[in-house]
Amino acid sequence: MRFKKNIATSDTGFIFNPGSGDSFSSNSIGSEILAFFKEDKSRNEIIELICAKYDVEKNQLEKDLDDFFSQLRDHNLLDE
Amino acid sequence: MVTSHDIKGKRKLVIAVTGLNAIDSPGPGVAVIRAIRECSDFEVRIIGLSYEALEPGIYMHELVDKTYQIPYPSAGFESLLQRLIQIHQAEKLDLVIPNFDAELFSFIKLRKELENLGIRSFLPELEQFEARHKMILSKFGKKHQIMVPEDRIINHVTDLVKAVAELDYPLVVKGKFYDATIVNTLEGAQKAFYQLQAKWGLPVIAQKFINGTEINIAALGDGKGNTISVIPMRKLYITDKGKAWAGITIEDASYIELAKKFVKVTKWRGGCELEIMQTADGISYIMEVNPRFPAWIYLTAAAGQNQPATLVKMAMGEHVDPFQTYEVGKMFIRYSWDLITDVSEFQKISGEGEL
């Protein structure tokens, strides 16, 4: 699972799909996750990195992360 | 070949432009002029051609050097020709760029006469112009294997019953020249029919509704089947009149190929706008072809393919290579501005027909 070719993201969590013209903004945690995602970190690696940095239940994070990925998928931003 | 006047080594062209109605449903003229003025390859004197005294472009003196009123297309070719001859005697026009659907027929018909006077244009042939007309667009699509929504020509309100049975709801009821309404009942379709008939005359078109993402493409053809420029744009904000108030250039090879195919099969000469609907499963339908530049044409200049300036060059006989790249993610956001003028200017254009 990775971003489709040409999807542009910024450090501030802005996502632009040049194929559709759609753009999205994510919050600060979303931005961090996007940065890891762009570095080709796996789902489990991202969970470990976020858990190490923030006081968050692993189960909750897993749910939130899956929801986040599902939003990216729904917006046609991912190559599965 | 070039008939322009040389001033300090740079060509000076006198270009007449219509479509100065930069209103909420804007004509393309002001955007065309802005793009042309941005090109540093030539100097221009812009002559506005207007129909109404309140077209904002008339009063934009930084863009339009002088404006003349011209007769409505309904007045016939001869009165348009006579007016253009008068204007030409005063201004020595090199080129005319008409920007309204309703006037294009007249300008295409007068092309030879205007050329004989030394006024160039860069317009499609009458056959090309007619082939993309919304009344026969589906026939055109079938002929060239281009996806176009199925439609029926409605000459009488009773024709709607059959059209509904064949095309189902929702149904798009469209005017001959402009306007469209989406309807879900026969009563709704009948109401739309009467409204469109009253406004634009017959026939009215009933078109199968296609759900998807609306994309607009500005294309420029050389008249020999070559596409010189293509810029696809996605509307980001649409007014209640269906006009783009904001848009963004996008990157999708399928749109470029579709535009190239259209230009190739029609040997389109000049600018045009393809209105595309892309369905969720990736099929692109041509909903409509506008036979002139769209009102958002300045975005092509901003994205690196100045279509109006390139049209000027081609019209003046210059060889132009097709553009290869453009900036993706270039946006436009339209805005309103209260232009201030004096009643004396309004009086001059209203009373004397020129300003």
Side-chain angles (χ1 to χ4, degrees), chain B residues 126-183:
Chain B
L126 195 56
E127 193 186 337
Q128 304 165 337
F129 176 73
E130 295 289 354
R132 58 82 244 171
H133 198 284
K134 64 171 86 174
M135 282 186 292
I136 52 170
L137 188 61
S138 62
K139 187 175 156 196
F140 169 83
K142 281 187 189 118
K143 184 177 172 188
H144 298 293
Q145 287 85 51
I146 291 173
M147 296 297 282
V148 172
E150 228 183 309
D151 62 19
R152 299 288 181 275
I153 302 302
I154 309 295
N155 281 299
H156 192 273
V157 71
T158 53
D159 297 343
L160 281 169
V161 176
K162 192 167 177 238
V164 162
E166 289 169 352
L167 303 176
D168 208 357
Y169 297 115
L171 187 70
V172 187
V173 185
K174 302 171 84 166
K176 188 176 167 183
F177 289 115
Y178 301 100
D179 294 337
T181 309
I182 298 166
V183 298

Short mmCIF file of all heavy atoms in Angstrom, two decimals, chain B residues 126-183:
data_model
loop_
_atom_site.label_atom_id
_atom_site.label_comp_id
_atom_site.label_asym_id
_atom_site.label_seq_id
_atom_site.Cartn_x
_atom_site.Cartn_y
_atom_site.Cartn_z
N LEU B 126 -17.05 25.76 -41.43
CA LEU B 126 -18.46 25.64 -41.08
C LEU B 126 -18.82 24.18 -40.77
O LEU B 126 -19.57 23.89 -39.81
CB LEU B 126 -19.32 26.16 -42.23
CG LEU B 126 -20.78 26.44 -41.89
CD1 LEU B 126 -20.91 27.40 -40.72
CD2 LEU B 126 -21.52 26.97 -43.10
N GLU B 127 -18.26 23.26 -41.54
CA GLU B 127 -18.54 21.83 -41.34
C GLU B 127 -18.07 21.36 -39.96
O GLU B 127 -18.78 20.64 -39.26
CB GLU B 127 -17.82 21.05 -42.45
CG GLU B 127 -18.26 19.61 -42.56
CD GLU B 127 -17.41 18.84 -43.57
OE1 GLU B 127 -16.80 19.48 -44.46
OE2 GLU B 127 -17.33 17.62 -43.43
N GLN B 128 -16.87 21.80 -39.56
CA GLN B 128 -16.34 21.45 -38.23
C GLN B 128 -17.22 22.05 -37.14
O GLN B 128 -17.54 21.41 -36.15
CB GLN B 128 -14.91 22.00 -38.05
CG GLN B 128 -13.94 21.57 -39.11
CD GLN B 128 -12.68 22.44 -39.09
OE1 GLN B 128 -12.67 23.55 -38.61
NE2 GLN B 128 -11.59 21.88 -39.61
N PHE B 129 -17.57 23.29 -37.38
CA PHE B 129 -18.38 24.03 -36.42
C PHE B 129 -19.73 23.34 -36.20
O PHE B 129 -20.19 23.18 -35.07
CB PHE B 129 -18.59 25.46 -36.95
CG PHE B 129 -19.48 26.31 -36.10
CD1 PHE B 129 -19.06 26.80 -34.89
CD2 PHE B 129 -20.77 26.64 -36.53
CE1 PHE B 129 -19.89 27.60 -34.10
CE2 PHE B 129 -21.60 27.43 -35.77
CZ PHE B 129 -21.16 27.91 -34.55
N GLU B 130 -20.35 22.89 -37.29
CA GLU B 130 -21.67 22.26 -37.20
C GLU B 130 -21.59 20.86 -36.60
O GLU B 130 -22.48 20.44 -35.87
CB GLU B 130 -22.33 22.19 -38.59
CG GLU B 130 -22.64 23.54 -39.21
CD GLU B 130 -23.79 24.25 -38.51
OE1 GLU B 130 -24.42 23.67 -37.64
OE2 GLU B 130 -24.04 25.43 -38.86
N ALA B 131 -20.50 20.13 -36.90
CA ALA B 131 -20.39 18.72 -36.48
C ALA B 131 -20.43 18.57 -34.97
O ALA B 131 -20.91 17.57 -34.45
CB ALA B 131 -19.10 18.12 -37.03
N ARG B 132 -19.94 19.57 -34.24
CA ARG B 132 -19.88 19.44 -32.79
C ARG B 132 -21.10 20.06 -32.12
O ARG B 132 -21.17 20.12 -30.90
CB ARG B 132 -18.59 20.03 -32.22
CG ARG B 132 -18.33 21.49 -32.51
CD ARG B 132 -19.02 22.44 -31.62
NE ARG B 132 -19.97 23.23 -32.40
CZ ARG B 132 -20.84 24.03 -31.82
NH1 ARG B 132 -20.91 24.14 -30.51
NH2 ARG B 132 -21.68 24.73 -32.55
N HIS B 133 -22.03 20.53 -32.95
CA HIS B 133 -23.20 21.18 -32.37
C HIS B 133 -23.94 20.20 -31.46
O HIS B 133 -24.04 19.02 -31.76
CB HIS B 133 -24.14 21.67 -33.48
CG HIS B 133 -25.11 22.69 -33.00
ND1 HIS B 133 -26.20 22.36 -32.25
CD2 HIS B 133 -25.13 24.04 -33.11
CE1 HIS B 133 -26.87 23.45 -31.94
NE2 HIS B 133 -26.23 24.50 -32.46
N LYS B 134 -24.45 20.70 -30.36
CA LYS B 134 -25.04 19.80 -29.35
C LYS B 134 -26.21 19.00 -29.91
O LYS B 134 -26.51 17.94 -29.42
CB LYS B 134 -25.41 20.56 -28.08
CG LYS B 134 -26.46 21.61 -28.23
CD LYS B 134 -26.89 22.11 -26.85
CE LYS B 134 -25.98 23.21 -26.35
NZ LYS B 134 -26.46 23.78 -25.08
N MET B 135 -26.82 19.51 -30.98
CA MET B 135 -27.96 18.79 -31.53
C MET B 135 -27.54 17.53 -32.28
O MET B 135 -28.34 16.62 -32.48
CB MET B 135 -28.77 19.70 -32.44
CG MET B 135 -29.64 20.65 -31.65
SD MET B 135 -30.71 21.60 -32.67
CE MET B 135 -29.57 22.65 -33.53
N ILE B 136 -26.28 17.48 -32.72
CA ILE B 136 -25.84 16.28 -33.44
C ILE B 136 -24.57 15.69 -32.83
O ILE B 136 -23.87 14.91 -33.46
CB ILE B 136 -25.63 16.57 -34.95
CG1 ILE B 136 -24.71 17.78 -35.15
CG2 ILE B 136 -26.96 16.77 -35.64
CD1 ILE B 136 -24.28 17.95 -36.59
N LEU B 137 -24.31 16.06 -31.57
CA LEU B 137 -23.08 15.61 -30.93
C LEU B 137 -23.05 14.09 -30.76
O LEU B 137 -22.00 13.47 -30.94
CB LEU B 137 -22.91 16.31 -29.57
CG LEU B 137 -21.56 16.08 -28.87
CD1 LEU B 137 -20.41 16.61 -29.71
CD2 LEU B 137 -21.54 16.75 -27.49
N SER B 138 -24.20 13.48 -30.46
CA SER B 138 -24.18 12.03 -30.25
C SER B 138 -23.89 11.31 -31.57
O SER B 138 -23.19 10.30 -31.60
CB SER B 138 -25.48 11.54 -29.62
OG SER B 138 -26.55 11.81 -30.45
N LYS B 139 -24.38 11.87 -32.67
CA LYS B 139 -24.08 11.30 -33.99
C LYS B 139 -22.57 11.41 -34.26
O LYS B 139 -21.93 10.47 -34.75
CB LYS B 139 -24.88 12.10 -35.04
CG LYS B 139 -24.82 11.54 -36.43
CD LYS B 139 -25.75 12.37 -37.33
CE LYS B 139 -25.30 12.26 -38.78
NZ LYS B 139 -25.91 13.29 -39.61
N PHE B 140 -22.03 12.55 -33.90
CA PHE B 140 -20.60 12.79 -34.07
C PHE B 140 -19.79 11.77 -33.25
O PHE B 140 -18.82 11.19 -33.71
CB PHE B 140 -20.27 14.22 -33.61
CG PHE B 140 -18.81 14.52 -33.47
CD1 PHE B 140 -18.06 14.87 -34.58
CD2 PHE B 140 -18.18 14.44 -32.23
CE1 PHE B 140 -16.71 15.13 -34.45
CE2 PHE B 140 -16.83 14.70 -32.10
CZ PHE B 140 -16.10 15.05 -33.22
N GLY B 141 -20.25 11.54 -32.01
CA GLY B 141 -19.58 10.59 -31.13
C GLY B 141 -19.56 9.20 -31.71
O GLY B 141 -18.54 8.51 -31.70
N LYS B 142 -20.71 8.78 -32.23
CA LYS B 142 -20.80 7.43 -32.82
C LYS B 142 -19.87 7.30 -34.01
O LYS B 142 -19.18 6.30 -34.17
CB LYS B 142 -22.25 7.15 -33.26
CG LYS B 142 -23.15 6.76 -32.09
CD LYS B 142 -24.52 6.31 -32.55
CE LYS B 142 -25.41 6.15 -31.33
NZ LYS B 142 -26.57 7.04 -31.33
N LYS B 143 -19.84 8.33 -34.82
CA LYS B 143 -19.02 8.29 -36.03
C LYS B 143 -17.53 8.13 -35.69
O LYS B 143 -16.79 7.44 -36.39
CB LYS B 143 -19.25 9.57 -36.84
CG LYS B 143 -18.52 9.58 -38.17
CD LYS B 143 -18.85 10.85 -38.95
CE LYS B 143 -17.97 10.95 -40.19
NZ LYS B 143 -18.13 12.25 -40.86
N HIS B 144 -17.11 8.79 -34.62
CA HIS B 144 -15.67 8.81 -34.33
C HIS B 144 -15.28 8.00 -33.08
O HIS B 144 -14.18 8.14 -32.57
CB HIS B 144 -15.21 10.27 -34.16
CG HIS B 144 -15.40 11.08 -35.40
ND1 HIS B 144 -14.69 10.86 -36.55
CD2 HIS B 144 -16.25 12.11 -35.67
CE1 HIS B 144 -15.08 11.72 -37.48
NE2 HIS B 144 -16.02 12.47 -36.98
N GLN B 145 -16.18 7.15 -32.62
CA GLN B 145 -15.93 6.34 -31.42
C GLN B 145 -15.49 7.20 -30.23
O GLN B 145 -14.52 6.91 -29.55
CB GLN B 145 -14.88 5.24 -31.68
CG GLN B 145 -15.35 4.08 -32.53
CD GLN B 145 -15.20 4.38 -34.01
OE1 GLN B 145 -14.12 4.78 -34.44
NE2 GLN B 145 -16.26 4.20 -34.76
N ILE B 146 -16.21 8.29 -30.04
CA ILE B 146 -15.99 9.14 -28.86
C ILE B 146 -17.24 9.03 -28.00
O ILE B 146 -18.36 9.10 -28.52
CB ILE B 146 -15.74 10.61 -29.30
CG1 ILE B 146 -14.37 10.72 -30.00
CG2 ILE B 146 -15.79 11.55 -28.09
CD1 ILE B 146 -14.08 12.08 -30.61
N MET B 147 -17.06 8.81 -26.72
CA MET B 147 -18.21 8.61 -25.83
C MET B 147 -18.97 9.93 -25.65
O MET B 147 -18.39 10.94 -25.20
CB MET B 147 -17.75 8.10 -24.46
CG MET B 147 -17.09 6.74 -24.50
SD MET B 147 -18.20 5.43 -25.04
CE MET B 147 -19.14 5.18 -23.56
N VAL B 148 -20.23 9.91 -26.02
CA VAL B 148 -21.12 11.06 -25.87
C VAL B 148 -22.44 10.53 -25.30
O VAL B 148 -22.91 9.49 -25.74
CB VAL B 148 -21.36 11.75 -27.24
CG1 VAL B 148 -22.42 12.83 -27.12
CG2 VAL B 148 -20.08 12.34 -27.79
N PRO B 149 -23.04 11.18 -24.30
CA PRO B 149 -24.30 10.66 -23.75
C PRO B 149 -25.39 10.60 -24.81
O PRO B 149 -25.47 11.48 -25.67
CB PRO B 149 -24.66 11.68 -22.67
CG PRO B 149 -23.49 12.54 -22.48
CD PRO B 149 -22.62 12.43 -23.68
N GLU B 150 -26.21 9.58 -24.69
CA GLU B 150 -27.32 9.45 -25.62
C GLU B 150 -28.29 10.62 -25.45
O GLU B 150 -28.49 11.10 -24.33
CB GLU B 150 -28.08 8.16 -25.28
CG GLU B 150 -28.35 7.30 -26.49
CD GLU B 150 -29.16 6.09 -26.13
OE1 GLU B 150 -28.78 5.38 -25.19
OE2 GLU B 150 -30.17 5.88 -26.79
N ASP B 151 -28.87 11.06 -26.55
CA ASP B 151 -29.81 12.18 -26.43
C ASP B 151 -30.95 12.06 -27.44
O ASP B 151 -30.91 11.19 -28.32
CB ASP B 151 -29.09 13.52 -26.57
CG ASP B 151 -28.43 13.70 -27.93
OD1 ASP B 151 -28.81 12.98 -28.87
OD2 ASP B 151 -27.54 14.56 -28.05
N ARG B 152 -31.94 12.88 -27.27
CA ARG B 152 -33.06 12.96 -28.21
C ARG B 152 -33.36 14.43 -28.48
O ARG B 152 -33.32 15.25 -27.56
CB ARG B 152 -34.32 12.31 -27.60
CG ARG B 152 -34.17 10.83 -27.27
CD ARG B 152 -34.13 9.94 -28.51
NE ARG B 152 -34.01 8.53 -28.15
CZ ARG B 152 -32.85 7.90 -27.89
NH1 ARG B 152 -31.71 8.56 -27.97
NH2 ARG B 152 -32.85 6.62 -27.58
N ILE B 153 -33.65 14.73 -29.71
CA ILE B 153 -34.02 16.10 -30.08
C ILE B 153 -35.53 16.26 -29.84
O ILE B 153 -36.32 15.45 -30.32
CB ILE B 153 -33.69 16.36 -31.57
CG1 ILE B 153 -32.18 16.13 -31.83
CG2 ILE B 153 -34.10 17.77 -31.98
CD1 ILE B 153 -31.24 16.97 -31.01
N ILE B 154 -35.87 17.28 -29.10
CA ILE B 154 -37.27 17.47 -28.71
C ILE B 154 -37.82 18.72 -29.43
O ILE B 154 -37.40 19.84 -29.15
CB ILE B 154 -37.40 17.67 -27.17
CG1 ILE B 154 -36.66 16.53 -26.42
CG2 ILE B 154 -38.87 17.75 -26.76
CD1 ILE B 154 -37.24 15.15 -26.61
N ASN B 155 -38.72 18.46 -30.37
CA ASN B 155 -39.34 19.57 -31.10
C ASN B 155 -40.72 19.92 -30.57
O ASN B 155 -41.25 20.98 -30.88
CB ASN B 155 -39.42 19.25 -32.60
CG ASN B 155 -38.08 19.47 -33.27
OD1 ASN B 155 -37.55 20.59 -33.28
ND2 ASN B 155 -37.50 18.40 -33.79
N HIS B 156 -41.30 18.97 -29.83
CA HIS B 156 -42.63 19.21 -29.27
C HIS B 156 -42.66 18.60 -27.88
O HIS B 156 -41.99 17.57 -27.64
CB HIS B 156 -43.70 18.58 -30.17
CG HIS B 156 -45.08 19.03 -29.79
ND1 HIS B 156 -45.83 18.39 -28.83
CD2 HIS B 156 -45.83 20.08 -30.22
CE1 HIS B 156 -46.99 19.02 -28.70
NE2 HIS B 156 -47.01 20.06 -29.53
N VAL B 157 -43.41 19.22 -26.99
CA VAL B 157 -43.42 18.76 -25.60
C VAL B 157 -43.83 17.28 -25.49
O VAL B 157 -43.36 16.55 -24.61
CB VAL B 157 -44.32 19.68 -24.74
CG1 VAL B 157 -45.79 19.49 -25.09
CG2 VAL B 157 -44.08 19.48 -23.26
N THR B 158 -44.64 16.80 -26.43
CA THR B 158 -45.08 15.40 -26.38
C THR B 158 -43.92 14.43 -26.68
O THR B 158 -43.98 13.26 -26.30
CB THR B 158 -46.23 15.15 -27.39
OG1 THR B 158 -45.80 15.61 -28.67
CG2 THR B 158 -47.49 15.87 -26.97
N ASP B 159 -42.88 14.91 -27.35
CA ASP B 159 -41.71 14.05 -27.63
C ASP B 159 -41.01 13.62 -26.34
O ASP B 159 -40.24 12.66 -26.33
CB ASP B 159 -40.67 14.81 -28.48
CG ASP B 159 -41.22 15.19 -29.85
OD1 ASP B 159 -42.25 14.62 -30.25
OD2 ASP B 159 -40.62 16.07 -30.50
N LEU B 160 -41.28 14.37 -25.26
CA LEU B 160 -40.59 14.07 -24.00
C LEU B 160 -40.97 12.71 -23.43
O LEU B 160 -40.14 12.05 -22.80
CB LEU B 160 -40.90 15.16 -22.96
CG LEU B 160 -40.11 16.46 -23.11
CD1 LEU B 160 -40.71 17.53 -22.21
CD2 LEU B 160 -38.63 16.25 -22.77
N VAL B 161 -42.20 12.29 -23.67
CA VAL B 161 -42.66 11.01 -23.11
C VAL B 161 -41.78 9.88 -23.63
O VAL B 161 -41.28 9.03 -22.87
CB VAL B 161 -44.16 10.77 -23.47
CG1 VAL B 161 -44.61 9.41 -22.96
CG2 VAL B 161 -45.01 11.88 -22.89
N LYS B 162 -41.56 9.87 -24.93
CA LYS B 162 -40.73 8.83 -25.56
C LYS B 162 -39.28 8.95 -25.06
O LYS B 162 -38.63 7.95 -24.76
CB LYS B 162 -40.79 9.00 -27.08
CG LYS B 162 -40.23 7.83 -27.83
CD LYS B 162 -40.60 7.89 -29.32
CE LYS B 162 -39.95 6.74 -30.04
NZ LYS B 162 -39.07 7.14 -31.12
N ALA B 163 -38.80 10.19 -24.98
CA ALA B 163 -37.41 10.41 -24.55
C ALA B 163 -37.20 9.88 -23.13
O ALA B 163 -36.19 9.23 -22.83
CB ALA B 163 -37.07 11.90 -24.61
N VAL B 164 -38.18 10.14 -22.26
CA VAL B 164 -38.09 9.68 -20.88
C VAL B 164 -38.09 8.15 -20.84
O VAL B 164 -37.30 7.52 -20.12
CB VAL B 164 -39.27 10.25 -20.05
CG1 VAL B 164 -39.45 9.46 -18.76
CG2 VAL B 164 -39.02 11.72 -19.74
N ALA B 165 -38.95 7.54 -21.65
CA ALA B 165 -39.04 6.08 -21.67
C ALA B 165 -37.71 5.47 -22.13
O ALA B 165 -37.28 4.42 -21.63
CB ALA B 165 -40.16 5.65 -22.60
N GLU B 166 -37.05 6.14 -23.04
CA GLU B 166 -35.81 5.59 -23.60
C GLU B 166 -34.57 5.94 -22.79
O GLU B 166 -33.62 5.16 -22.73
CB GLU B 166 -35.66 6.07 -25.04
CG GLU B 166 -36.67 5.42 -25.98
CD GLU B 166 -36.71 6.06 -27.37
OE1 GLU B 166 -36.07 7.12 -27.57
OE2 GLU B 166 -37.40 5.52 -28.23
N LEU B 167 -34.57 7.13 -22.19
CA LEU B 167 -33.34 7.59 -21.51
C LEU B 167 -33.43 7.49 -19.99
O LEU B 167 -32.41 7.49 -19.31
CB LEU B 167 -33.02 9.04 -21.90
CG LEU B 167 -32.84 9.31 -23.40
CD1 LEU B 167 -32.63 10.80 -23.63
CD2 LEU B 167 -31.66 8.53 -23.96
N ASP B 168 -34.67 7.44 -19.47
CA ASP B 168 -34.91 7.30 -18.03
C ASP B 168 -34.48 8.55 -17.24
O ASP B 168 -33.84 9.45 -17.77
CB ASP B 168 -34.19 6.05 -17.49
CG ASP B 168 -34.91 5.48 -16.26
OD1 ASP B 168 -35.91 6.09 -15.82
OD2 ASP B 168 -34.47 4.44 -15.76
N TYR B 169 -34.82 8.56 -15.96
CA TYR B 169 -34.43 9.67 -15.08
C TYR B 169 -33.15 9.32 -14.34
O TYR B 169 -32.88 8.13 -14.17
CB TYR B 169 -35.55 9.94 -14.06
CG TYR B 169 -36.84 10.39 -14.69
CD1 TYR B 169 -37.97 9.59 -14.59
CD2 TYR B 169 -36.91 11.59 -15.36
CE1 TYR B 169 -39.16 9.99 -15.16
CE2 TYR B 169 -38.12 12.00 -15.93
CZ TYR B 169 -39.23 11.19 -15.83
OH TYR B 169 -40.40 11.59 -16.41
N PRO B 170 -32.43 10.29 -13.83
CA PRO B 170 -32.63 11.71 -14.10
C PRO B 170 -32.32 12.03 -15.57
O PRO B 170 -31.49 11.36 -16.19
CB PRO B 170 -31.65 12.40 -13.16
CG PRO B 170 -30.73 11.36 -12.66
CD PRO B 170 -31.29 10.03 -12.96
N LEU B 171 -32.95 13.07 -16.06
CA LEU B 171 -32.80 13.45 -17.46
C LEU B 171 -32.29 14.90 -17.50
O LEU B 171 -32.71 15.72 -16.70
CB LEU B 171 -34.18 13.36 -18.13
CG LEU B 171 -34.24 13.54 -19.64
CD1 LEU B 171 -33.60 12.35 -20.35
CD2 LEU B 171 -35.70 13.67 -20.09
N VAL B 172 -31.42 15.18 -18.43
CA VAL B 172 -30.92 16.54 -18.58
C VAL B 172 -31.66 17.18 -19.76
O VAL B 172 -31.62 16.65 -20.87
CB VAL B 172 -29.40 16.58 -18.83
CG1 VAL B 172 -28.88 18.01 -18.81
CG2 VAL B 172 -28.67 15.74 -17.81
N VAL B 173 -32.34 18.28 -19.50
CA VAL B 173 -33.05 18.99 -20.57
C VAL B 173 -32.24 20.25 -20.87
O VAL B 173 -32.00 21.07 -19.99
CB VAL B 173 -34.50 19.33 -20.15
CG1 VAL B 173 -35.25 19.96 -21.32
CG2 VAL B 173 -35.22 18.08 -19.68
N LYS B 174 -31.79 20.36 -22.13
CA LYS B 174 -30.85 21.42 -22.49
C LYS B 174 -31.41 22.36 -23.55
O LYS B 174 -32.10 21.92 -24.47
CB LYS B 174 -29.55 20.80 -23.03
CG LYS B 174 -28.88 19.84 -22.06
CD LYS B 174 -27.75 19.08 -22.71
CE LYS B 174 -26.48 19.90 -22.69
NZ LYS B 174 -25.30 19.06 -23.02
N GLY B 175 -31.04 23.62 -23.42
CA GLY B 175 -31.42 24.62 -24.42
C GLY B 175 -30.55 24.49 -25.66
O GLY B 175 -29.47 23.91 -25.63
N LYS B 176 -31.06 25.07 -26.74
CA LYS B 176 -30.36 24.98 -28.03
C LYS B 176 -28.95 25.57 -27.95
O LYS B 176 -28.00 25.01 -28.50
CB LYS B 176 -31.21 25.77 -29.04
CG LYS B 176 -30.79 25.68 -30.46
CD LYS B 176 -31.84 26.44 -31.28
CE LYS B 176 -31.40 26.71 -32.69
NZ LYS B 176 -32.40 27.51 -33.40
N PHE B 177 -28.83 26.72 -27.26
CA PHE B 177 -27.51 27.35 -27.14
C PHE B 177 -26.93 27.21 -25.74
O PHE B 177 -25.76 26.87 -25.58
CB PHE B 177 -27.59 28.85 -27.49
CG PHE B 177 -27.82 29.10 -28.94
CD1 PHE B 177 -28.99 29.71 -29.38
CD2 PHE B 177 -26.88 28.73 -29.89
CE1 PHE B 177 -29.22 29.95 -30.72
CE2 PHE B 177 -27.09 28.96 -31.24
CZ PHE B 177 -28.27 29.57 -31.66
N TYR B 178 -27.71 27.54 -24.72
CA TYR B 178 -27.21 27.53 -23.35
C TYR B 178 -28.26 26.92 -22.43
O TYR B 178 -29.41 26.70 -22.83
CB TYR B 178 -26.92 28.95 -22.85
CG TYR B 178 -25.91 29.72 -23.65
CD1 TYR B 178 -26.31 30.66 -24.59
CD2 TYR B 178 -24.53 29.51 -23.47
CE1 TYR B 178 -25.38 31.38 -25.32
CE2 TYR B 178 -23.60 30.23 -24.20
CZ TYR B 178 -24.04 31.17 -25.13
OH TYR B 178 -23.12 31.89 -25.85
N ASP B 179 -27.86 26.76 -21.18
CA ASP B 179 -28.75 26.33 -20.08
C ASP B 179 -29.11 24.85 -20.14
O ASP B 179 -29.32 24.29 -21.21
CB ASP B 179 -30.05 27.16 -20.04
CG ASP B 179 -29.79 28.63 -19.70
OD1 ASP B 179 -28.73 28.89 -19.09
OD2 ASP B 179 -30.62 29.47 -20.05
N ALA B 180 -29.19 24.28 -18.95
CA ALA B 180 -29.58 22.87 -18.80
C ALA B 180 -30.22 22.68 -17.44
O ALA B 180 -29.84 23.35 -16.48
CB ALA B 180 -28.35 21.98 -18.94
N THR B 181 -31.19 21.80 -17.38
CA THR B 181 -31.86 21.49 -16.12
C THR B 181 -31.91 19.98 -15.96
O THR B 181 -32.23 19.27 -16.92
CB THR B 181 -33.31 22.03 -16.14
OG1 THR B 181 -33.27 23.39 -16.53
CG2 THR B 181 -33.95 21.92 -14.77
N ILE B 182 -31.62 19.51 -14.75
CA ILE B 182 -31.74 18.07 -14.47
C ILE B 182 -33.14 17.85 -13.89
O ILE B 182 -33.53 18.52 -12.94
CB ILE B 182 -30.65 17.61 -13.48
CG1 ILE B 182 -29.27 17.84 -14.10
CG2 ILE B 182 -30.83 16.13 -13.12
CD1 ILE B 182 -28.13 17.73 -13.12
N VAL B 183 -33.87 16.90 -14.48
CA VAL B 183 -35.25 16.67 -14.02
C VAL B 183 -35.44 15.20 -13.65
O VAL B 183 -34.73 14.32 -14.15
CB VAL B 183 -36.28 17.07 -15.10
CG1 VAL B 183 -36.18 18.55 -15.41
CG2 VAL B 183 -36.10 16.25 -16.37
#
